[in-house]
Amino acid sequence: MSAFRKSIHKGFLARAFAALGAANAVSAAVEGGRKPRARDLQELGIDPVSFGRVIR
């Protein structure tokens, strides 16, 4: 495998694990009645300001 393909593969895995970690953190915060961290929401493509305005 070339160095270019390895870097793409590693980048994909890093992004996938980051997204899974952020999803887990946001889920735990919502279930616990807390506001999720802005960084985790941004990782998932969610605007933190808009998230705060969601009516439950």
Side-chain angles (χ1 to χ4, degrees), residues 22-44:
N24 189 30
V26 170
S27 173
V30 170
E31 285 184 4
R34 299 181 316 273
K35 182 179 177 183
R37 292 187 304 188
R39 186 184 75 189
D40 291 330
L41 291 170
Q42 288 172 342
E43 178 69 34
L44 297 173

Side-chain angles (χ1 to χ4, degrees), residues 8-55:
I8 290 174
H9 185 67
K10 287 182 182 179
F12 171 77
L13 288 177
R15 286 191 312 269
F17 280 119
L20 288 173
N24 189 30
V26 170
S27 173
V30 170
E31 285 184 4
R34 299 181 316 273
K35 182 179 177 183
R37 292 187 304 188
R39 186 184 75 189
D40 291 330
L41 291 170
Q42 288 172 342
E43 178 69 34
L44 297 173
I46 300 170
D47 181 29
V49 175
S50 298
F51 185 84
R53 290 188 240 149
V54 174
I55 299 171

